[in-house]
Amino acid sequence: MASGEEEGGVDEKETNNKKRTKGAIATAWLTVYNIAMTAGWLVLAVAMLRYYLQKGSHKGLYRNIAKTLKFFQTFALLEVGHCAIGIVRTSVIVTGVQVCSRIFMVWFITNSIRQVQNEESVILFVVVWTVTEITRYSFYTFNLLNHLPYFIKWARYNMFIVMYPLGVVGELLTIHAALPYVRRSGMYSLRLPNKYNVSFDYYYFLIIVMLSYIPLFPQLYFHMLRQRRRVLHGEIIVEKDE
């Protein structure tokens, strides 16, 4: 009987050690990831500021930063994986919608339709994304290191109140500006008859995407407001990434 208890105790210790090891590895990876993403968006911010100071105009700015933006925004797909494997306590669906909607804006709107790249709305959402991501990733980094400055915590849970709606406005105006070019070119559309016997109109798809903001934006916005109330009222922060 005693031997069985000792064996059980050894197994429990081994299990706890494995959990601690996995937890340490996950924390180390998330720290490296968030530092890298903070640095990446800082590079993007500096590049935008330098371009505007040199040129005095936003024309051509997007093309100048496009590679950096596409790389770091696409790299954020890892966050969906973080949620899926459980190293981050955030909904896979919420994270997936947020990340994939941005990737869609980058690759299938702004990158694909060059005529909209000089629109002011593009610069609006890119600037909003940049400020938001620098704040968000630096928040996660310091939180993981257990040294979270109050001003970063404050910025994380207050700036989105203005930034989030501004970003949505920029995205919607950009999609709207793209519609005439999509309709004329027929890009990404599939007309009947064809061997697949399937019809797809990218123009109407973009209209549906714009309409989807009506139910999705309030849900995500109020989700952030609920988080803000919990954190600023002194409850324990359990998130490490989002």
mmCIF file of all heavy atoms in Angstrom, residues 117-165:
data_model
loop_
_atom_site.group_PDB
_atom_site.id
_atom_site.type_symbol
_atom_site.label_atom_id
_atom_site.label_comp_id
_atom_site.label_asym_id
_atom_site.label_seq_id
_atom_site.Cartn_x
_atom_site.Cartn_y
_atom_site.Cartn_z
ATOM 1 N N GLN A 117 -4.634 52.175 -53.252
ATOM 2 C CA GLN A 117 -3.504 52.257 -52.321
ATOM 3 C C GLN A 117 -3.176 53.672 -51.864
ATOM 4 O O GLN A 117 -2.588 53.849 -50.796
ATOM 5 C CB GLN A 117 -2.274 51.593 -52.955
ATOM 6 C CG GLN A 117 -2.399 50.092 -53.065
ATOM 7 C CD GLN A 117 -1.183 49.433 -53.691
ATOM 8 O OE1 GLN A 117 -0.206 50.098 -54.064
ATOM 9 N NE2 GLN A 117 -1.227 48.108 -53.825
ATOM 10 N N ASN A 118 -3.546 54.666 -52.659
ATOM 11 C CA ASN A 118 -3.282 56.056 -52.267
ATOM 12 C C ASN A 118 -4.484 56.725 -51.598
ATOM 13 O O ASN A 118 -4.450 57.935 -51.329
ATOM 14 C CB ASN A 118 -2.849 56.881 -53.479
ATOM 15 C CG ASN A 118 -1.420 56.557 -53.903
ATOM 16 O OD1 ASN A 118 -0.575 56.242 -53.062
ATOM 17 N ND2 ASN A 118 -1.159 56.608 -55.196
ATOM 18 N N GLU A 119 -5.530 55.946 -51.341
ATOM 19 C CA GLU A 119 -6.690 56.499 -50.640
ATOM 20 C C GLU A 119 -6.309 56.859 -49.201
ATOM 21 O O GLU A 119 -5.552 56.142 -48.543
ATOM 22 C CB GLU A 119 -7.828 55.484 -50.626
ATOM 23 C CG GLU A 119 -8.411 55.164 -51.987
ATOM 24 C CD GLU A 119 -9.306 56.290 -52.507
ATOM 25 O OE1 GLU A 119 -9.842 57.053 -51.672
ATOM 26 O OE2 GLU A 119 -9.457 56.392 -53.730
ATOM 27 N N GLU A 120 -6.851 57.958 -48.726
ATOM 28 C CA GLU A 120 -6.581 58.371 -47.341
ATOM 29 C C GLU A 120 -7.110 57.344 -46.341
ATOM 30 O O GLU A 120 -6.561 57.189 -45.248
ATOM 31 C CB GLU A 120 -7.209 59.743 -47.078
ATOM 32 C CG GLU A 120 -6.532 60.867 -47.841
ATOM 33 C CD GLU A 120 -7.177 62.211 -47.590
ATOM 34 O OE1 GLU A 120 -8.230 62.242 -46.911
ATOM 35 O OE2 GLU A 120 -6.632 63.222 -48.061
ATOM 36 N N SER A 121 -8.162 56.621 -46.720
ATOM 37 C CA SER A 121 -8.741 55.609 -45.831
ATOM 38 C C SER A 121 -7.762 54.476 -45.559
ATOM 39 O O SER A 121 -7.770 53.881 -44.473
ATOM 40 C CB SER A 121 -10.031 55.052 -46.428
ATOM 41 O OG SER A 121 -9.802 54.472 -47.705
ATOM 42 N N VAL A 122 -6.906 54.175 -46.539
ATOM 43 C CA VAL A 122 -5.890 53.130 -46.346
ATOM 44 C C VAL A 122 -4.891 53.567 -45.277
ATOM 45 O O VAL A 122 -4.558 52.792 -44.370
ATOM 46 C CB VAL A 122 -5.155 52.826 -47.670
ATOM 47 C CG1 VAL A 122 -3.976 51.879 -47.430
ATOM 48 C CG2 VAL A 122 -6.115 52.217 -48.681
ATOM 49 N N ILE A 123 -4.433 54.800 -45.383
ATOM 50 C CA ILE A 123 -3.495 55.316 -44.389
ATOM 51 C C ILE A 123 -4.156 55.364 -43.020
ATOM 52 O O ILE A 123 -3.516 55.089 -41.996
ATOM 53 C CB ILE A 123 -2.993 56.716 -44.796
ATOM 54 C CG1 ILE A 123 -2.418 56.693 -46.222
ATOM 55 C CG2 ILE A 123 -1.949 57.217 -43.810
ATOM 56 C CD1 ILE A 123 -1.340 55.652 -46.446
ATOM 57 N N LEU A 124 -5.452 55.673 -42.994
ATOM 58 C CA LEU A 124 -6.176 55.735 -41.721
ATOM 59 C C LEU A 124 -6.138 54.389 -41.009
ATOM 60 O O LEU A 124 -5.731 54.312 -39.838
ATOM 61 C CB LEU A 124 -7.629 56.163 -41.954
ATOM 62 C CG LEU A 124 -8.547 56.130 -40.719
ATOM 63 C CD1 LEU A 124 -8.029 57.061 -39.625
ATOM 64 C CD2 LEU A 124 -9.981 56.500 -41.113
ATOM 65 N N PHE A 125 -6.540 53.315 -41.694
ATOM 66 C CA PHE A 125 -6.571 52.030 -40.987
ATOM 67 C C PHE A 125 -5.174 51.480 -40.716
ATOM 68 O O PHE A 125 -4.960 50.811 -39.706
ATOM 69 C CB PHE A 125 -7.479 51.006 -41.678
ATOM 70 C CG PHE A 125 -6.940 50.308 -42.900
ATOM 71 C CD1 PHE A 125 -5.951 49.337 -42.803
ATOM 72 C CD2 PHE A 125 -7.474 50.572 -44.160
ATOM 73 C CE1 PHE A 125 -5.481 48.668 -43.919
ATOM 74 C CE2 PHE A 125 -7.021 49.904 -45.278
ATOM 75 C CZ PHE A 125 -6.009 48.950 -45.164
ATOM 76 N N VAL A 126 -4.206 51.786 -41.570
ATOM 77 C CA VAL A 126 -2.845 51.314 -41.321
ATOM 78 C C VAL A 126 -2.252 52.010 -40.092
ATOM 79 O O VAL A 126 -1.600 51.369 -39.253
ATOM 80 C CB VAL A 126 -1.941 51.516 -42.555
ATOM 81 C CG1 VAL A 126 -0.482 51.209 -42.205
ATOM 82 C CG2 VAL A 126 -2.380 50.616 -43.699
ATOM 83 N N VAL A 127 -2.471 53.314 -39.968
ATOM 84 C CA VAL A 127 -1.979 54.049 -38.796
ATOM 85 C C VAL A 127 -2.653 53.531 -37.527
ATOM 86 O O VAL A 127 -1.997 53.315 -36.499
ATOM 87 C CB VAL A 127 -2.222 55.563 -38.956
ATOM 88 C CG1 VAL A 127 -1.975 56.302 -37.641
ATOM 89 C CG2 VAL A 127 -1.315 56.130 -40.045
ATOM 90 N N VAL A 128 -3.969 53.326 -37.601
ATOM 91 C CA VAL A 128 -4.707 52.802 -36.439
ATOM 92 C C VAL A 128 -4.188 51.425 -36.053
ATOM 93 O O VAL A 128 -3.944 51.149 -34.868
ATOM 94 C CB VAL A 128 -6.222 52.740 -36.740
ATOM 95 C CG1 VAL A 128 -6.950 51.929 -35.671
ATOM 96 C CG2 VAL A 128 -6.800 54.148 -36.801
ATOM 97 N N TRP A 129 -4.024 50.532 -37.031
ATOM 98 C CA TRP A 129 -3.484 49.196 -36.753
ATOM 99 C C TRP A 129 -2.120 49.304 -36.080
ATOM 100 O O TRP A 129 -1.836 48.597 -35.122
ATOM 101 C CB TRP A 129 -3.327 48.412 -38.046
ATOM 102 C CG TRP A 129 -4.591 47.931 -38.678
ATOM 103 C CD1 TRP A 129 -5.877 48.215 -38.296
ATOM 104 C CD2 TRP A 129 -4.691 47.077 -39.817
ATOM 105 N NE1 TRP A 129 -6.767 47.593 -39.139
ATOM 106 C CE2 TRP A 129 -6.074 46.895 -40.077
ATOM 107 C CE3 TRP A 129 -3.763 46.480 -40.649
ATOM 108 C CZ2 TRP A 129 -6.531 46.111 -41.136
ATOM 109 C CZ3 TRP A 129 -4.206 45.696 -41.706
ATOM 110 C CH2 TRP A 129 -5.579 45.514 -41.952
ATOM 111 N N THR A 130 -1.268 50.178 -36.609
ATOM 112 C CA THR A 130 0.103 50.291 -36.107
ATOM 113 C C THR A 130 0.133 50.742 -34.650
ATOM 114 O O THR A 130 0.810 50.125 -33.810
ATOM 115 C CB THR A 130 0.909 51.277 -36.970
ATOM 116 O OG1 THR A 130 0.885 50.835 -38.339
ATOM 117 C CG2 THR A 130 2.353 51.361 -36.509
ATOM 118 N N VAL A 131 -0.614 51.791 -34.337
ATOM 119 C CA VAL A 131 -0.669 52.286 -32.950
ATOM 120 C C VAL A 131 -1.251 51.213 -32.037
ATOM 121 O O VAL A 131 -0.738 50.956 -30.933
ATOM 122 C CB VAL A 131 -1.505 53.577 -32.866
ATOM 123 C CG1 VAL A 131 -1.704 53.999 -31.419
ATOM 124 C CG2 VAL A 131 -0.839 54.695 -33.666
ATOM 125 N N THR A 132 -2.326 50.568 -32.498
ATOM 126 C CA THR A 132 -2.988 49.538 -31.699
ATOM 127 C C THR A 132 -2.069 48.359 -31.423
ATOM 128 O O THR A 132 -2.000 47.858 -30.293
ATOM 129 C CB THR A 132 -4.263 49.045 -32.413
ATOM 130 O OG1 THR A 132 -5.143 50.153 -32.613
ATOM 131 C CG2 THR A 132 -4.973 47.976 -31.594
ATOM 132 N N GLU A 133 -1.359 47.909 -32.450
ATOM 133 C CA GLU A 133 -0.515 46.718 -32.294
ATOM 134 C C GLU A 133 0.724 46.987 -31.465
ATOM 135 O O GLU A 133 1.165 46.121 -30.705
ATOM 136 C CB GLU A 133 -0.138 46.149 -33.671
ATOM 137 C CG GLU A 133 -1.313 45.667 -34.511
ATOM 138 C CD GLU A 133 -2.122 44.578 -33.840
ATOM 139 O OE1 GLU A 133 -2.656 44.796 -32.729
ATOM 140 O OE2 GLU A 133 -2.237 43.496 -34.421
ATOM 141 N N ILE A 134 1.298 48.157 -31.595
ATOM 142 C CA ILE A 134 2.443 48.508 -30.739
ATOM 143 C C ILE A 134 2.005 48.473 -29.273
ATOM 144 O O ILE A 134 2.707 47.925 -28.409
ATOM 145 C CB ILE A 134 3.013 49.889 -31.108
ATOM 146 C CG1 ILE A 134 3.699 49.839 -32.471
ATOM 147 C CG2 ILE A 134 4.004 50.371 -30.042
ATOM 148 C CD1 ILE A 134 4.095 51.196 -33.017
ATOM 149 N N THR A 135 0.843 49.037 -29.008
ATOM 150 C CA THR A 135 0.313 49.045 -27.642
ATOM 151 C C THR A 135 -0.011 47.633 -27.166
ATOM 152 O O THR A 135 0.349 47.239 -26.051
ATOM 153 C CB THR A 135 -0.968 49.907 -27.574
ATOM 154 O OG1 THR A 135 -0.683 51.223 -28.056
ATOM 155 C CG2 THR A 135 -1.485 49.991 -26.152
ATOM 156 N N ARG A 136 -0.690 46.868 -28.011
ATOM 157 C CA ARG A 136 -1.144 45.530 -27.626
ATOM 158 C C ARG A 136 0.024 44.583 -27.378
ATOM 159 O O ARG A 136 0.081 43.917 -26.330
ATOM 160 C CB ARG A 136 -2.049 44.959 -28.735
ATOM 161 C CG ARG A 136 -2.703 43.630 -28.396
ATOM 162 C CD ARG A 136 -3.783 43.310 -29.404
ATOM 163 N NE ARG A 136 -3.252 42.937 -30.697
ATOM 164 C CZ ARG A 136 -3.082 41.668 -31.099
ATOM 165 N NH1 ARG A 136 -3.377 40.668 -30.275
ATOM 166 N NH2 ARG A 136 -2.625 41.407 -32.303
ATOM 167 N N TYR A 137 0.965 44.522 -28.309
ATOM 168 C CA TYR A 137 2.082 43.588 -28.150
ATOM 169 C C TYR A 137 3.033 43.994 -27.033
ATOM 170 O O TYR A 137 3.596 43.130 -26.357
ATOM 171 C CB TYR A 137 2.834 43.427 -29.474
ATOM 172 C CG TYR A 137 2.065 42.642 -30.513
ATOM 173 C CD1 TYR A 137 1.680 43.213 -31.718
ATOM 174 C CD2 TYR A 137 1.724 41.306 -30.280
ATOM 175 C CE1 TYR A 137 0.978 42.493 -32.674
ATOM 176 C CE2 TYR A 137 1.012 40.575 -31.226
ATOM 177 C CZ TYR A 137 0.644 41.178 -32.421
ATOM 178 O OH TYR A 137 -0.059 40.452 -33.354
ATOM 179 N N SER A 138 3.219 45.277 -26.841
ATOM 180 C CA SER A 138 4.066 45.703 -25.711
ATOM 181 C C SER A 138 3.367 45.384 -24.388
ATOM 182 O O SER A 138 4.022 44.989 -23.414
ATOM 183 C CB SER A 138 4.383 47.197 -25.805
ATOM 184 O OG SER A 138 3.206 47.983 -25.773
ATOM 185 N N PHE A 139 2.031 45.499 -24.348
ATOM 186 C CA PHE A 139 1.269 45.123 -23.161
ATOM 187 C C PHE A 139 1.488 43.650 -22.844
ATOM 188 O O PHE A 139 1.765 43.282 -21.689
ATOM 189 C CB PHE A 139 -0.221 45.403 -23.397
ATOM 190 C CG PHE A 139 -1.127 44.856 -22.326
ATOM 191 C CD1 PHE A 139 -1.408 45.598 -21.181
ATOM 192 C CD2 PHE A 139 -1.702 43.597 -22.444
ATOM 193 C CE1 PHE A 139 -2.247 45.103 -20.189
ATOM 194 C CE2 PHE A 139 -2.535 43.087 -21.458
ATOM 195 C CZ PHE A 139 -2.804 43.838 -20.332
ATOM 196 N N TYR A 140 1.351 42.784 -23.845
ATOM 197 C CA TYR A 140 1.538 41.355 -23.620
ATOM 198 C C TYR A 140 2.966 41.035 -23.187
ATOM 199 O O TYR A 140 3.190 40.195 -22.316
ATOM 200 C CB TYR A 140 1.203 40.564 -24.892
ATOM 201 C CG TYR A 140 -0.251 40.624 -25.278
ATOM 202 C CD1 TYR A 140 -0.625 40.707 -26.614
ATOM 203 C CD2 TYR A 140 -1.260 40.606 -24.319
ATOM 204 C CE1 TYR A 140 -1.966 40.761 -26.978
ATOM 205 C CE2 TYR A 140 -2.592 40.650 -24.675
ATOM 206 C CZ TYR A 140 -2.945 40.732 -26.003
ATOM 207 O OH TYR A 140 -4.261 40.774 -26.356
ATOM 208 N N THR A 141 3.936 41.721 -23.794
ATOM 209 C CA THR A 141 5.339 41.469 -23.463
ATOM 210 C C THR A 141 5.616 41.784 -21.997
ATOM 211 O O THR A 141 6.151 40.949 -21.251
ATOM 212 C CB THR A 141 6.267 42.307 -24.356
ATOM 213 O OG1 THR A 141 6.059 41.957 -25.722
ATOM 214 C CG2 THR A 141 7.731 42.042 -23.999
ATOM 215 N N PHE A 142 5.269 42.987 -21.570
ATOM 216 C CA PHE A 142 5.512 43.381 -20.180
ATOM 217 C C PHE A 142 4.687 42.551 -19.210
ATOM 218 O O PHE A 142 5.133 42.250 -18.100
ATOM 219 C CB PHE A 142 5.222 44.868 -19.989
ATOM 220 C CG PHE A 142 6.280 45.768 -20.563
ATOM 221 C CD1 PHE A 142 6.023 46.540 -21.690
ATOM 222 C CD2 PHE A 142 7.534 45.836 -19.973
ATOM 223 C CE1 PHE A 142 7.008 47.362 -22.224
ATOM 224 C CE2 PHE A 142 8.515 46.666 -20.495
ATOM 225 C CZ PHE A 142 8.255 47.425 -21.625
ATOM 226 N N ASN A 143 3.485 42.159 -19.621
ATOM 227 C CA ASN A 143 2.636 41.331 -18.771
ATOM 228 C C ASN A 143 3.280 39.963 -18.549
ATOM 229 O O ASN A 143 3.278 39.431 -17.430
ATOM 230 C CB ASN A 143 1.256 41.182 -19.409
ATOM 231 C CG ASN A 143 0.218 40.655 -18.428
ATOM 232 O OD1 ASN A 143 0.251 40.954 -17.244
ATOM 233 N ND2 ASN A 143 -0.701 39.861 -18.927
ATOM 234 N N LEU A 144 3.849 39.388 -19.600
ATOM 235 C CA LEU A 144 4.531 38.096 -19.497
ATOM 236 C C LEU A 144 5.778 38.190 -18.623
ATOM 237 O O LEU A 144 6.155 37.232 -17.944
ATOM 238 C CB LEU A 144 4.898 37.585 -20.890
ATOM 239 C CG LEU A 144 3.723 37.037 -21.722
ATOM 240 C CD1 LEU A 144 4.095 37.005 -23.200
ATOM 241 C CD2 LEU A 144 3.333 35.638 -21.251
ATOM 242 N N LEU A 145 6.430 39.352 -18.667
ATOM 243 C CA LEU A 145 7.637 39.567 -17.860
ATOM 244 C C LEU A 145 7.317 40.010 -16.434
ATOM 245 O O LEU A 145 8.231 40.220 -15.636
ATOM 246 C CB LEU A 145 8.528 40.618 -18.542
ATOM 247 C CG LEU A 145 9.101 40.224 -19.910
ATOM 248 C CD1 LEU A 145 9.800 41.417 -20.556
ATOM 249 C CD2 LEU A 145 10.057 39.043 -19.797
ATOM 250 N N ASN A 146 6.007 40.157 -16.148
ATOM 251 C CA ASN A 146 5.549 40.591 -14.820
ATOM 252 C C ASN A 146 6.069 41.975 -14.434
ATOM 253 O O ASN A 146 6.350 42.250 -13.266
ATOM 254 C CB ASN A 146 5.946 39.568 -13.744
ATOM 255 C CG ASN A 146 5.255 38.232 -13.958
ATOM 256 O OD1 ASN A 146 4.056 38.181 -14.237
ATOM 257 N ND2 ASN A 146 6.015 37.151 -13.842
ATOM 258 N N HIS A 147 6.241 42.828 -15.439
ATOM 259 C CA HIS A 147 6.658 44.219 -15.202
ATOM 260 C C HIS A 147 5.828 45.125 -16.101
ATOM 261 O O HIS A 147 6.338 45.693 -17.075
ATOM 262 C CB HIS A 147 8.156 44.406 -15.488
ATOM 263 C CG HIS A 147 9.051 43.714 -14.508
ATOM 264 N ND1 HIS A 147 9.219 44.157 -13.212
ATOM 265 C CD2 HIS A 147 9.801 42.589 -14.620
ATOM 266 C CE1 HIS A 147 10.054 43.343 -12.572
ATOM 267 N NE2 HIS A 147 10.424 42.382 -13.401
ATOM 268 N N LEU A 148 4.556 45.248 -15.791
ATOM 269 C CA LEU A 148 3.640 45.995 -16.653
ATOM 270 C C LEU A 148 3.509 47.443 -16.192
ATOM 271 O O LEU A 148 2.903 47.717 -15.154
ATOM 272 C CB LEU A 148 2.262 45.320 -16.652
ATOM 273 C CG LEU A 148 1.173 45.970 -17.506
ATOM 274 C CD1 LEU A 148 1.572 45.982 -18.978
ATOM 275 C CD2 LEU A 148 -0.154 45.238 -17.309
ATOM 276 N N PRO A 149 4.075 48.405 -16.951
ATOM 277 C CA PRO A 149 3.915 49.823 -16.592
ATOM 278 C C PRO A 149 2.447 50.241 -16.698
ATOM 279 O O PRO A 149 1.736 49.800 -17.610
ATOM 280 C CB PRO A 149 4.764 50.544 -17.655
ATOM 281 C CG PRO A 149 5.687 49.500 -18.187
ATOM 282 C CD PRO A 149 4.928 48.217 -18.129
ATOM 283 N N TYR A 150 2.036 51.114 -15.806
ATOM 284 C CA TYR A 150 0.622 51.490 -15.781
ATOM 285 C C TYR A 150 0.201 52.188 -17.073
ATOM 286 O O TYR A 150 -0.910 51.980 -17.558
ATOM 287 C CB TYR A 150 0.329 52.407 -14.588
ATOM 288 C CG TYR A 150 -1.128 52.825 -14.555
ATOM 289 C CD1 TYR A 150 -2.115 51.942 -14.111
ATOM 290 C CD2 TYR A 150 -1.512 54.094 -14.998
ATOM 291 C CE1 TYR A 150 -3.455 52.314 -14.108
ATOM 292 C CE2 TYR A 150 -2.852 54.464 -14.999
ATOM 293 C CZ TYR A 150 -3.810 53.572 -14.550
ATOM 294 O OH TYR A 150 -5.133 53.940 -14.568
ATOM 295 N N PHE A 151 1.071 53.015 -17.654
ATOM 296 C CA PHE A 151 0.667 53.771 -18.835
ATOM 297 C C PHE A 151 0.397 52.843 -20.027
ATOM 298 O O PHE A 151 -0.455 53.136 -20.873
ATOM 299 C CB PHE A 151 1.706 54.840 -19.203
ATOM 300 C CG PHE A 151 2.940 54.320 -19.884
ATOM 301 C CD1 PHE A 151 3.021 54.215 -21.263
ATOM 302 C CD2 PHE A 151 4.046 53.926 -19.130
ATOM 303 C CE1 PHE A 151 4.165 53.746 -21.887
ATOM 304 C CE2 PHE A 151 5.189 53.455 -19.740
ATOM 305 C CZ PHE A 151 5.245 53.357 -21.125
ATOM 306 N N ILE A 152 1.099 51.697 -20.080
ATOM 307 C CA ILE A 152 0.828 50.738 -21.152
ATOM 308 C C ILE A 152 -0.492 50.028 -20.898
ATOM 309 O O ILE A 152 -1.298 49.809 -21.814
ATOM 310 C CB ILE A 152 1.981 49.725 -21.282
ATOM 311 C CG1 ILE A 152 3.232 50.437 -21.804
ATOM 312 C CG2 ILE A 152 1.601 48.570 -22.214
ATOM 313 C CD1 ILE A 152 4.434 49.544 -21.966
ATOM 314 N N LYS A 153 -0.733 49.681 -19.644
ATOM 315 C CA LYS A 153 -2.019 49.078 -19.265
ATOM 316 C C LYS A 153 -3.154 50.059 -19.570
ATOM 317 O O LYS A 153 -4.198 49.662 -20.125
ATOM 318 C CB LYS A 153 -1.997 48.727 -17.775
ATOM 319 C CG LYS A 153 -3.302 48.162 -17.245
ATOM 320 C CD LYS A 153 -3.178 47.874 -15.753
ATOM 321 C CE LYS A 153 -4.480 47.413 -15.139
ATOM 322 N NZ LYS A 153 -4.366 47.134 -13.690
ATOM 323 N N TRP A 154 -2.958 51.321 -19.229
ATOM 324 C CA TRP A 154 -3.976 52.336 -19.486
ATOM 325 C C TRP A 154 -4.230 52.472 -20.985
ATOM 326 O O TRP A 154 -5.385 52.531 -21.435
ATOM 327 C CB TRP A 154 -3.532 53.678 -18.905
ATOM 328 C CG TRP A 154 -4.554 54.766 -19.099
ATOM 329 C CD1 TRP A 154 -5.538 55.127 -18.248
ATOM 330 C CD2 TRP A 154 -4.678 55.618 -20.254
ATOM 331 N NE1 TRP A 154 -6.284 56.154 -18.790
ATOM 332 C CE2 TRP A 154 -5.782 56.471 -20.008
ATOM 333 C CE3 TRP A 154 -3.967 55.743 -21.449
ATOM 334 C CZ2 TRP A 154 -6.185 57.446 -20.937
ATOM 335 C CZ3 TRP A 154 -4.388 56.695 -22.376
ATOM 336 C CH2 TRP A 154 -5.472 57.530 -22.108
ATOM 337 N N ALA A 155 -3.149 52.538 -21.762
ATOM 338 C CA ALA A 155 -3.284 52.697 -23.211
ATOM 339 C C ALA A 155 -4.001 51.500 -23.836
ATOM 340 O O ALA A 155 -4.859 51.658 -24.708
ATOM 341 C CB ALA A 155 -1.908 52.873 -23.852
ATOM 342 N N ARG A 156 -3.655 50.307 -23.373
ATOM 343 C CA ARG A 156 -4.267 49.085 -23.898
ATOM 344 C C ARG A 156 -5.780 49.082 -23.717
ATOM 345 O O ARG A 156 -6.523 48.674 -24.602
ATOM 346 C CB ARG A 156 -3.627 47.878 -23.190
ATOM 347 C CG ARG A 156 -4.371 46.558 -23.344
ATOM 348 C CD ARG A 156 -4.360 46.056 -24.759
ATOM 349 N NE ARG A 156 -4.986 44.750 -24.838
ATOM 350 C CZ ARG A 156 -5.649 44.300 -25.906
ATOM 351 N NH1 ARG A 156 -5.760 45.061 -26.968
ATOM 352 N NH2 ARG A 156 -6.175 43.094 -25.908
ATOM 353 N N TYR A 157 -6.253 49.561 -22.585
ATOM 354 C CA TYR A 157 -7.676 49.467 -22.274
ATOM 355 C C TYR A 157 -8.430 50.789 -22.392
ATOM 356 O O TYR A 157 -9.563 50.889 -21.922
ATOM 357 C CB TYR A 157 -7.855 48.870 -20.871
ATOM 358 C CG TYR A 157 -7.521 47.400 -20.871
ATOM 359 C CD1 TYR A 157 -6.308 46.943 -20.365
ATOM 360 C CD2 TYR A 157 -8.395 46.465 -21.410
ATOM 361 C CE1 TYR A 157 -5.990 45.590 -20.385
ATOM 362 C CE2 TYR A 157 -8.086 45.118 -21.442
ATOM 363 C CZ TYR A 157 -6.881 44.693 -20.928
ATOM 364 O OH TYR A 157 -6.568 43.354 -20.966
ATOM 365 N N ASN A 158 -7.819 51.780 -23.035
ATOM 366 C CA ASN A 158 -8.516 53.044 -23.269
ATOM 367 C C ASN A 158 -8.430 53.516 -24.722
ATOM 368 O O ASN A 158 -9.415 54.034 -25.251
ATOM 369 C CB ASN A 158 -7.964 54.137 -22.347
ATOM 370 C CG ASN A 158 -8.473 54.001 -20.931
ATOM 371 O OD1 ASN A 158 -9.606 54.348 -20.621
ATOM 372 N ND2 ASN A 158 -7.634 53.476 -20.052
ATOM 373 N N MET A 159 -7.280 53.342 -25.358
ATOM 374 C CA MET A 159 -7.101 53.859 -26.706
ATOM 375 C C MET A 159 -8.024 53.198 -27.718
ATOM 376 O O MET A 159 -8.443 53.820 -28.694
ATOM 377 C CB MET A 159 -5.636 53.700 -27.140
ATOM 378 C CG MET A 159 -4.698 54.659 -26.437
ATOM 379 S SD MET A 159 -2.967 54.436 -26.912
ATOM 380 C CE MET A 159 -3.039 54.812 -28.653
ATOM 381 N N PHE A 160 -8.373 51.919 -27.483
ATOM 382 C CA PHE A 160 -9.223 51.211 -28.441
ATOM 383 C C PHE A 160 -10.598 51.868 -28.577
ATOM 384 O O PHE A 160 -11.265 51.718 -29.614
ATOM 385 C CB PHE A 160 -9.402 49.747 -28.018
ATOM 386 C CG PHE A 160 -10.444 49.529 -26.953
ATOM 387 C CD1 PHE A 160 -11.765 49.280 -27.295
ATOM 388 C CD2 PHE A 160 -10.099 49.590 -25.614
ATOM 389 C CE1 PHE A 160 -12.724 49.090 -26.314
ATOM 390 C CE2 PHE A 160 -11.045 49.399 -24.629
ATOM 391 C CZ PHE A 160 -12.371 49.153 -24.984
ATOM 392 N N ILE A 161 -11.027 52.606 -27.552
ATOM 393 C CA ILE A 161 -12.347 53.242 -27.576
ATOM 394 C C ILE A 161 -12.477 54.153 -28.796
ATOM 395 O O ILE A 161 -13.539 54.229 -29.430
ATOM 396 C CB ILE A 161 -12.587 54.033 -26.270
ATOM 397 C CG1 ILE A 161 -12.636 53.075 -25.078
ATOM 398 C CG2 ILE A 161 -13.872 54.850 -26.352
ATOM 399 C CD1 ILE A 161 -12.694 53.773 -23.727
ATOM 400 N N VAL A 162 -11.388 54.825 -29.145
ATOM 401 C CA VAL A 162 -11.364 55.686 -30.324
ATOM 402 C C VAL A 162 -10.768 54.962 -31.525
ATOM 403 O O VAL A 162 -11.283 55.059 -32.649
ATOM 404 C CB VAL A 162 -10.557 56.974 -30.033
ATOM 405 C CG1 VAL A 162 -10.420 57.819 -31.282
ATOM 406 C CG2 VAL A 162 -11.222 57.772 -28.918
ATOM 407 N N MET A 163 -9.687 54.223 -31.295
ATOM 408 C CA MET A 163 -8.954 53.595 -32.387
ATOM 409 C C MET A 163 -9.762 52.541 -33.141
ATOM 410 O O MET A 163 -9.708 52.443 -34.370
ATOM 411 C CB MET A 163 -7.656 52.971 -31.856
ATOM 412 C CG MET A 163 -6.603 53.965 -31.457
ATOM 413 S SD MET A 163 -6.013 54.914 -32.886
ATOM 414 C CE MET A 163 -4.778 55.944 -32.121
ATOM 415 N N TYR A 164 -10.508 51.730 -32.394
ATOM 416 C CA TYR A 164 -11.253 50.651 -33.023
ATOM 417 C C TYR A 164 -12.281 51.173 -34.036
ATOM 418 O O TYR A 164 -12.303 50.742 -35.195
ATOM 419 C CB TYR A 164 -11.906 49.787 -31.945
ATOM 420 C CG TYR A 164 -12.291 48.392 -32.393
ATOM 421 C CD1 TYR A 164 -12.049 47.938 -33.685
ATOM 422 C CD2 TYR A 164 -12.913 47.518 -31.499
ATOM 423 C CE1 TYR A 164 -12.407 46.668 -34.082
ATOM 424 C CE2 TYR A 164 -13.276 46.238 -31.889
ATOM 425 C CZ TYR A 164 -13.030 45.831 -33.192
ATOM 426 O OH TYR A 164 -13.381 44.570 -33.578
ATOM 427 N N PRO A 165 -13.137 52.141 -33.646
ATOM 428 C CA PRO A 165 -14.072 52.692 -34.639
ATOM 429 C C PRO A 165 -13.373 53.359 -35.824
ATOM 430 O O PRO A 165 -13.827 53.227 -36.968
ATOM 431 C CB PRO A 165 -14.879 53.716 -33.829
ATOM 432 C CG PRO A 165 -14.775 53.253 -32.420
ATOM 433 C CD PRO A 165 -13.400 52.666 -32.296
#
